[in-house]
Amino acid sequence: MQYTPTNTTIGFIGTGVMGKSMAGHLLKAGYPLHVYTRTRARAQDLLDAGATWQQTPADMARACNAIITIVGFPADVESVYLGPDGLVRNACRGSHLVDMTTSSPQLAGRIFKEAEARGLHALDAPVSGGDVGAQEARLSIMVGGERAAFDAMLPVFEKMGTSIVYQGSAGSGQHTKMANQIAIACSVMGVCEALAYAKKAGLNPQSVLESVSSGSAASWQLSNMGPRMLAGNFAPGFYVKHFIKDLGIALSSATEMKLDTPGLSLAKSLFERLAAQGGADDGTQALFRLYDR
Amino acid sequence: MQYTPTNTTIGFIGTGVMGKSMAGHLLKAGYPLHVYTRTRARAQDLLDAGATWQQTPADMARACNAIITIVGFPADVESVYLGPDGLVRNACRGSHLVDMTTSSPQLAGRIFKEAEARGLHALDAPVSGGDVGAQEARLSIMVGGERAAFDAMLPVFEKMGTSIVYQGSAGSGQHTKMANQIAIACSVMGVCEALAYAKKAGLNPQSVLESVSSGSAASWQLSNMGPRMLAGNFAPGFYVKHFIKDLGIALSSATEMKLDTPGLSLAKSLFERLAAQGGADDGTQALFRLYDR
């Protein structure tokens, strides 16, 4: 079985920066789409484009057979899935539930088990690629759960991303995303320190960016965030507060696995310092502020 | 004035992993080439291809009008340039001296001044792109010194690299390279921690590499060194011992400029621990060994 526009009613919970673009692609592809989000106004564009509003996750669960969530924090995921009015208790047998929030691997495991006990199929499928990746349907989607459920959802994932990889059993999508965030955290820190060094040394940072982007230091963060840092553009593509949440999950998972990750620990502490100084609602590139003074 | 094969005799000092490929490109382009290196056997391929051997830097200085050096450590640079038998004391007025070693910005400044006092033109022009970049003449070359000297050497640089950027006065090439190494240090650390996390979490690291290379965590280090780490291939493209030298220069420059670079400090301490455990002659990707156990 695969979810195509003729056999599917998609429910979409969470129409923030990422979710809104992602749900829009599904609607355009012809999938009947129901939406729910905390602040109804944020779903208005989708409603205008033909989506159906649902009052609660429970109503959503009863109306749809493939439900996607992308909300803020693990606590939100827990309440949407496992609360009394949540998806697991109210979904119809055989439905698929896909959490695309970056959340805890352990919670993904719990949701999978509780869903399974009720004849539901849960996947964890967090994404990378930022607001631009969501808009252009070029996300990297990292999926954990049962292979058959992955196969069923694949046509839907293909409307939102270009790199869609099955990573293994429940929680594996989240674990993969944690590896992704660890690499990003260190990468952003390196870009900040390199550009701050260049400025302090009296170099022209644009020329340095040109040289450094062409060799072994090249990275997505350098090419995409370097110019924003130098321009003092700290508008959020990805919120510092959400990144701190991700790094906290990664660090506690690493600690549980007895893996020492000093780079991750250091980067997390720097982002926390930035948040404490009022940067929680900035984009991650605002880390440059800690250095450039 | 520009150095073309008809008006130039190039001297090349240091035919190690990088220098050998770089000098080879100049020879192929038709430049008369004289070589000197500590261990003559290492220049044999170039001598067989038509290069002329010189016994000392002083002999080299008298025979050539554009002299390129790429040796190991700042102490080697200092002796080749400023020693009694060195380039500055023995070169002919108007000659160009180009140090492509990654070395100290302060030393580059000293060499520039002493060269200038004798009517010589010194440039600092370190490179990035590794052994592969050198072989394929696709290096990033970061140049400090006088603009006119840069212009004169440009045709020669173009035989070795694709990104050739004038960064400013003497020492600016080295400072740019320091920024480059800072970004790399943090990047390698992040790749190690991400892949070690993936293995500890029981994921298939190849699948994780596929997902993570496609989003905002993408980097040269991840794509080029990630697979070598996972394969346990720690052969040197770039030596740990040389990287520690670079990071030491970067850190002492940053400290002088009163710039706090905790990511750089941490990465340097990890590479030092690796070297203390016997990894000094491995490639930088061997940092993975500290994590993967």
Side-chain angles (χ1 to χ4, degrees), chain A residues 47-225:
Chain A
L47 297 174
D48 292 346
T52 305
W53 178 253
Q54 292 290 350
Q55 294 290 344
T56 67
D59 292 339
M60 181 73 92
R62 290 184 283 264
C64 306
N65 57 354
I67 301 172
I68 293 170
T69 55
I70 182 161
V71 295
F73 290 84
D76 303 316
V77 174
E78 189 167 0
S79 116
V80 164
Y81 277 82
L82 303 178
D85 218 31
L87 296 174
V88 169
R89 203 160 295 186
N90 295 282
C92 307
R93 208 176 170 77
S95 292
H96 285 66
L97 308 177
V98 183
D99 185 29
M100 303 187 82
T101 316
T102 296
S103 171
S104 124
Q106 289 72 25
L107 178 56
R110 267 180 64 207
I111 290 172
F112 177 86
K113 282 216 177 95
E114 301 215 15
E116 193 180 36
R118 290 175 173 263
L120 304 168
H121 310 287
L123 293 171
D124 49 298
V127 302
S128 181
D131 48 349
V132 178
Q135 281 158 26
E136 298 176 355
R138 289 194 297 105
L139 291 169
S140 168
I141 307 178
M142 313 158 208
V143 190
E146 287 187 334
R147 166 72 79 167
F150 171 82
D151 291 339
M153 288 298 300
L154 190 56
V156 179
F157 290 146
E158 285 173 342
K159 300 298 175 209
M160 303 183 282
T162 43
S163 164
I164 300 151
V165 183
Y166 177 69
Q167 295 289 353
S169 61
S172 299
Q174 296 298 352
H175 271 311
T176 303
K177 179 67 188 275
M178 291 304 126
N180 189 76
Q181 301 305 72
I182 293 170
I184 289 177
C186 293
S187 187
V188 177
M189 183 168 68
V191 170
C192 287
E193 296 192 3
L195 294 180
Y197 180 102
K199 283 185 74 170
K200 276 274 189 192
L203 303 174
N204 174 344
Q206 300 295 347
S207 303
V208 173
L209 204 54
E210 190 185 344
S211 278
V212 172
S213 304
S214 317
S216 327
S219 71
W220 191 99
Q221 292 295 328
L222 185 67
S223 303
N224 288 271
M225 293 305 167

Side-chain angles (χ1 to χ4, degrees), chain B residues 3 93-98 112 115-116 119-123 146 149:
Chain B
Y3 283 109
R93 208 174 172 77
S95 292
H96 285 65
L97 309 176
V98 184
F112 177 86
E116 194 180 35
L120 305 168
H121 310 288
L123 293 171
E146 287 188 334

Side-chain angles (χ1 to χ4, degrees), chain A residues 214-216, chain B residues 18 127-134 138-140 180 220:
Chain A
S214 317
S216 327
Chain B
M18 301 291 287
V127 302
S128 181
D131 48 348
V132 178
R138 287 194 299 104
L139 291 169
S140 168
N180 189 77
W220 192 99

Side-chain angles (χ1 to χ4, degrees), chain A residues 201-203 208, chain B residues 105 108 124 142-145 167-177:
Chain A
L203 303 174
V208 173
Chain B
D124 49 297
M142 313 159 207
V143 190
Q167 294 289 353
S169 61
S172 298
Q174 296 298 351
H175 271 311
T176 303
K177 179 67 189 275

